[in-house]
Amino acid sequence: MIIRKPQALKDHDVTDESLYRGRRKFIKTMGAGSILLGSSLAGNVLNAKARQDDLKNELTSYKDITTYNNFYEFGTGKSDPAKNAHTLKTSPWSVTVDGECAKPGSFALEDLLKPMQTEERIYRFRCVEGWSMVIPWMGFELGKLLKRFEPTSKAKYVYFETLLDPEQMPGQKRSVLEWPYVEGLRIDEAMHPLTLLATGIYGKDLLNQNGAPLRLVVPWKYGFKSIKSIVKIHFLEEQPISSWQKANAVEYGFYSNVNPNVDHPRWSQKRERRIGEFRKRKTLFLNGYADEVAALYKGMDLKKYY
Amino acid sequence: MKIPEPYFSRLFKPFVFALALMPLVSLGLAAWQDKLGANPIEVITHSTGDWTLRFLLITLSISTLRRLINWGQLIRLRRMLGLYAFFYATLHLFTYLWLDQFFWWEDILADIIKRPFITVGMLAFVLLIPLAATSTNAMIRRLGKNWLKLHKLIYPITILGVLHFWWLVKADVREPFIYMAILALLLAERVWNAWRFKKQFLK
Ligand code: HEM
């Protein structure tokens, strides 16, 4: 298995699952006494201890990655997707590619994937809600796939669409968001080598709740940009409007880059809770991938283009 | 309806007391068994927040129930239930201060000032303090009529609690909507009752 880690996640930064259990001990101990009230002293002692862990990146457990999800097509609770996503049929699956490209078409998933070499990529994943994970994705660079359709010079943006089928995705029966879920990237973001189309996690095929059979992974953007269960890819000249922008343009912008200096209007983005850890850690600019992707936004006011 | 003494004081009230403790017990149990899921602190925050709001509404529903099913005794549970609302609110606040924010006071202060949902939550909690503090018999006697006036604060507190919930959800307002509907019903019953009373009085 080829393991390619982006520079921002160094080898020694990634330790495995084993340490992760210990992190929970404190919470368990707390439960034992049902004591939720703590003294500020105890908090500070813990803080000092935890501070050293701030730069560590342990893989999030498979269980947490597959049971704690935002996938409103299967309900708005975090555990809903794991419970409800079994109704999604991922085979046969086809993806339509059209718009500003020379070779549009509708493709069976197998045909789409056949020429692609999948590899493992370990990325941080930061949700706009303030939690994060470290996920070993299986996938390939989106750019490599997109080139096959020969986007024209007018292809300034790429638009993605999730399956629309309220029978398979019961969450779509309620209009929490406008369905289908749609997302978009600027073409240079889409072509960036860090941008992935994922088909698996931990060496296994994606589970439905994680966006099977094909999902986007843009590690320097908030999680909702990484659209799941993709059925359509469309090249276009105008900037598309994403589902969360439609729902609330003031709170969710097109770019939605992870940025500790630009708060969500209703909560701070300065810190995040790494799932499996006790204390919150500082959120990194562009989720720690600034070396790779900051150049994409040179000269842009990221407070304005949030 | 009436439960005869000593059963009300010796059995029923302790039973309700124990029942009201169950959310905390089950939370503690789940934590002990490592069943709080991937984000335990979120579960604790949400559960204590939910139960604060539920106990506020339960407390408000006592006088309504008393009128509707004519069960006067219920009033003797109201103080306990109100104090439970304060109890869960305190747990909720400390979960936020400690487990969520780790006593980073600058961040907490910024949150209280800048985040409307925290602002109204904090306001609701602060307003609860005088109610809890004046819940003793001695205080009730000492304050007399003013006690009743003071404890009308439960209305703005509960409204702020619902608002707090409404403002913190991302897109799905179903749950806060349910709480709002219940609150609206309880308030409507009071208006209706007052109107009915007035009409009777004027006759
Ligand atoms: C009487 C006072 C309060 C009531 C009734 C209340 C109620 C609630 C409720 C119902 C929730 C949502 C639970 C869920 O999603 O299931 C909640 C969440 C929350 N509350 Fe409160 N709360 C109160 C005071 C406070 C205070 C004083 C703070 C902090 C200063 C606070 C901070 C929070 C936070 C951080 C969340 C979670 C937000 C999130 O998940 O995004 N609350 N509260």
Side-chain angles (χ1 to χ4, degrees):
Chain A
M1 186 165 54
I2 308 156
I3 301 190
R4 226 187 96 181
K5 296 174 187 109
Q7 295 89 308
L9 255 184
K10 305 263 164 43
D11 235 348
H12 63 266
D13 288 342
V14 183
T15 52
D16 66 5
E17 257 191 85
S18 60
L19 270 170
Y20 148 93
R21 285 285 142 203
R23 291 299 161 84
R24 297 246 165 126
K25 266 206 192 115
F26 182 76
I27 291 167
K28 279 182 77 168
T29 318
M30 243 176 32
S34 288
I35 297 162
L36 301 160
L37 290 162
S39 67
S40 125
L41 185 70
N44 287 335
V45 172
L46 270 155
N47 276 348
K49 199 197 144 294
R51 206 161 290 142
Q52 308 153 3
D53 302 339
D54 228 14
L55 294 170
K56 286 214 188 106
N57 289 293
E58 297 161 19
L59 287 184
T60 304
S61 76
Y62 188 65
K63 183 170 172 240
D64 286 347
I65 294 173
T66 54
T67 54
Y68 188 77
N69 310 100
N70 274 324
F71 198 171
Y72 281 16
E73 281 82 344
F74 300 105
T76 54
K78 294 282 186 304
S79 50
D80 291 343
K83 279 184 220 139
N84 304 332
H86 58 89
T87 49
L88 176 66
K89 280 209 284 297
T90 55
S91 119
W93 192 271
S94 72
V95 179
T96 304
V97 183
D98 58 13
E100 299 292 343
C101 64
K103 294 184 169 167
S106 198
F107 307 89
L109 186 66
E110 304 78 61
D111 300 334
L112 207 67
L113 299 185
K114 212 177 285 160
M116 309 312 294
Q117 188 83 22
T118 51
E119 54 178 311
E120 181 163 66
R121 294 272 185 102
I122 299 172
Y123 284 159
R124 282 179 288 267
F125 182 93
R126 168 65 155 79
C127 177
V128 71
E129 295 168 350
W131 52 268
S132 63
M133 297 184 175
V134 179
I135 303 179
W137 300 101
M138 304 297 301
F140 50 86
E141 289 175 19
L142 171 68
K144 287 185 182 161
L145 178 82
L146 294 186
K147 281 185 194 130
R148 274 169 44 194
F149 312 112
E150 297 174 12
T152 68
S153 60
K154 279 189 175 165
K156 302 256 164 56
Y157 293 91
V158 191
Y159 159 100
F160 305 87
E161 217 175 88
T162 298
L163 177 72
L164 174 64
D165 183 350
E167 291 312 309
Q168 292 188 61
M169 297 181 144
Q172 291 176 338
K173 288 175 184 163
R174 289 178 59 216
S175 52
V176 181
L177 292 171
E178 208 179 297
W179 311 113
Y181 193 84
V182 302
E183 259 304 340
L185 293 174
R186 225 167 53 189
I187 192 81
D188 55 345
E189 297 175 323
M191 292 296 180
H192 193 280
L194 281 187
T195 305
L196 221 60
L197 271 184
T199 54
I201 289 174
Y202 267 112
K204 298 173 214 164
D205 282 348
L206 281 178
L207 296 185
N208 291 351
Q209 59 265 38
N210 293 112
L214 189 69
R215 68 167 291 167
L216 188 66
V217 177
V218 195
W220 70 92
K221 291 177 180 285
Y222 292 120
F224 66 86
K225 291 294 289 183
S226 294
I227 184 170
K228 305 187 187 85
S229 305
I230 296 167
V231 294
K232 187 177 171 129
I233 299 175
H234 181 78
F235 296 97
L236 71 173
E237 194 167 14
E238 306 281 302
Q239 180 174 298
I241 299 171
S242 76
S243 286
W244 279 102
Q245 266 181 298
K246 271 185 227 165
N248 195 334
V250 178
E251 298 189 351
Y252 308 97
F254 175 77
Y255 286 94
S256 290
N257 291 319
V258 175
N259 191 342
N261 310 315
V262 179
D263 284 342
H264 185 280
R266 286 184 290 158
W267 55 82
S268 163
Q269 295 292 22
K270 264 164 61 186
R271 297 177 211 268
E272 67 201 51
R273 170 160 292 111
R274 181 65 54 81
I275 296 301
E277 290 181 356
F278 177 59
R279 182 182 164 278
K280 283 187 176 175
R281 55 167 71 210
K282 287 208 163 76
T283 288
L284 304 172
F285 179 53
L286 297 173
N287 207 19
Y289 300 100
D291 287 351
E292 289 89 349
V293 298
L296 294 173
Y297 310 105
K298 225 161 93 189
M300 277 174 71
D301 178 359
L302 294 183
K303 282 205 163 70
K304 191 169 160 219
Y305 298 99
Y306 54 93
Chain B
M1 191 166 155
K2 193 168 162 67
I3 298 175
E5 284 299 348
Y7 301 110
F8 187 86
S9 314
R10 295 273 171 79
L11 281 175
F12 190 67
K13 205 170 162 191
F15 171 73
V16 175
F17 179 88
L19 202 65
L21 213 53
M22 282 306 126
L24 180 61
V25 171
S26 73
L27 200 59
L29 222 60
W32 170 242
Q33 297 170 333
D34 209 355
K35 279 193 184 147
L36 290 182
N39 196 346
I41 293 165
E42 180 181 73
V43 174
I44 296 169
T45 308
H46 286 182
S47 171
T48 51
D50 284 342
W51 283 103
T52 304
L53 192 51
R54 284 172 197 162
F55 274 105
L56 284 171
L57 290 167
I58 291 170
T59 308
L60 276 178
S61 64
I62 290 290
S63 61
T64 303
L65 276 181
R66 205 162 61 120
R67 283 186 288 269
L68 289 185
I69 61 174
N70 207 10
W71 186 5
Q73 262 178 334
L74 275 180
I75 199 81
R76 290 171 56 196
L77 299 174
R78 192 167 65 176
R79 166 165 51 185
M80 183 174 81
L81 293 166
L83 283 172
Y84 260 114
F86 181 67
F87 174 64
Y88 282 103
T90 310
L91 293 179
H92 184 61
L93 176 64
F94 271 83
T95 309
Y96 166 79
L97 293 179
W98 182 21
L99 302 182
D100 197 56
Q101 297 292 321
F102 296 90
F103 302 107
W104 288 309
W105 293 110
E106 293 136 68
D107 292 18
I108 291 166
L109 206 68
D111 256 5
I112 293 173
I113 296 165
K114 280 204 287 196
R115 322 272 165 230
F117 95 88
I118 298 279
T119 313
V120 297
M122 201 61 219
L123 189 59
F125 181 80
V126 169
L127 292 176
L128 268 175
I129 296 172
L131 303 201
T134 57
S135 64
T136 59
N137 286 335
M139 271 302 196
I140 295 171
R141 249 178 281 118
R142 219 163 88 193
L143 290 176
K145 262 198 172 152
N146 287 331
W147 187 91
L148 271 180
K149 270 193 209 152
L150 179 65
H151 281 247
K152 292 252 185 297
L153 276 177
I154 183 140
Y155 296 110
I157 290 169
T158 312
I159 291 168
L160 289 171
V162 171
L163 201 61
H164 170 70
F165 197 178
W166 197 285
W167 280 348
L168 71 86
V169 293
K170 264 196 326 180
D172 188 358
V173 294
R174 180 159 65 174
E175 271 190 66
F177 180 83
I178 292 169
Y179 287 108
M180 191 195 69
I182 294 170
L183 176 62
L185 280 177
L186 290 171
L187 294 179
E189 189 273 339
R190 279 163 171 74
V191 173
W192 180 65
N193 188 57
W195 175 77
R196 210 176 43 159
F197 185 79
K198 208 162 128 191
K199 220 170 80 172
Q200 226 170 31
F201 184 75
L202 286 178
K203 260 193 214 152

